[in-house]
């Protein structure tokens, strides 16, 4: 049986969508096919890799990808993680797709000392993990 495809979308596919991808693969990997992409490919953010490693999830081999129309249209779930991606998501021709918006602040825009910036990355990481756990448990 084919696993439902969850496609996480963000603006640059560097932080939030990568974290969601990593957590869903770690928590619900046997249940779902997981992919992530962005409206643009900004490259994998090293701080995102670092905070995910702190939580036991390795995303260091992930790549930053641009939205693929074929993947978008075969997805069971399309989940946007930032308002920009939600507003500018390409048209999805699959009438059965379930599209949700889970909005999270962009940790890449955090300012302050390195520790303050990392704290913002950790806060977003923890919020995304909680939301992914809810999705795996409740299917919504």
């Amino acid at each position: 049986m084919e696993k439902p495809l969850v496609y996480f979308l963000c603006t640059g596919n560097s932080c939030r969508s990568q974290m969601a991808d990593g957590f869903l693969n770690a928590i619900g990997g046997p249940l779902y096919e997981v992919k992530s992409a962005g409206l643009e490919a900004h490259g994998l953010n090293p701080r995102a890799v670092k905070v995910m490693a702190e939580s036991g999830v390795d995303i260091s081999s992930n790549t930053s990808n641009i939205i693929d129309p074929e993947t978008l249209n075969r997805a069971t779930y399309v989940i946007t993680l930032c308002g920009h991606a939600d507003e500018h998501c390409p048209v999805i021709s699959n009438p059965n797709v379930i599209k949700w918006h889970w909005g999270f602040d962009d940790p890449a825009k955090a300012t302050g000392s390195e520790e303050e910036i990392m704290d913002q990355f950790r806060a977003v990481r923890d919020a995304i993990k909680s939301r992914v756990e809810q999705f795996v448990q409740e299917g919504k």
Side-chain angles (χ1 to χ4, degrees):
M1 188 172 155
E2 201 171 294
K3 296 191 266 187
L5 169 61
V6 179
Y7 204 20
F8 290 112
L9 305 180
C10 219
T11 300
N13 192 221
S14 66
C15 297
R16 293 165 286 184
S17 51
Q18 294 285 356
M19 291 180 191
D21 178 313
F23 279 128
L24 187 54
N25 270 309
I27 298 166
L31 305 171
Y32 298 98
E33 179 183 357
V34 185
K35 295 190 178 291
S36 67
L39 298 169
E40 304 162 0
H42 292 172
L44 188 57
N45 187 300
R47 290 180 175 124
V49 173
K50 185 175 180 180
V51 299
M52 290 298 288
E54 290 172 1
S55 67
V57 178
D58 180 10
I59 62 168
S60 63
S61 62
N62 286 20
T63 57
S64 183
N65 304 300
I66 294 175
I67 296 170
D68 174 58
E70 183 182 316
T71 304
L72 184 69
N73 288 308
R74 73 176 182 86
T76 309
Y77 301 93
V78 171
I79 302 172
T80 55
L81 300 168
C82 68
H84 186 254
D86 187 38
E87 293 163 14
H88 296 91
C89 183
V91 173
I92 303 169
S93 62
N94 175 359
N96 300 315
V97 71
I98 298 166
K99 185 175 181 293
W100 291 323
H101 175 64
W102 300 350
F104 298 98
D105 290 337
D106 186 356
K109 292 184 177 172
T111 59
S113 69
E114 182 62 20
E115 194 55 37
E116 290 167 330
I117 293 169
M118 290 302 290
D119 284 346
Q120 184 62 35
F121 269 83
R122 290 179 186 107
V124 172
R125 174 203 63 200
D126 294 346
I128 290 172
K129 180 181 183 187
S130 177
R131 186 63 186 88
V132 167
E133 288 172 338
Q134 179 187 343
F135 172 71
V136 171
Q137 290 168 0
E138 302 173 10
K140 58 184 179 180

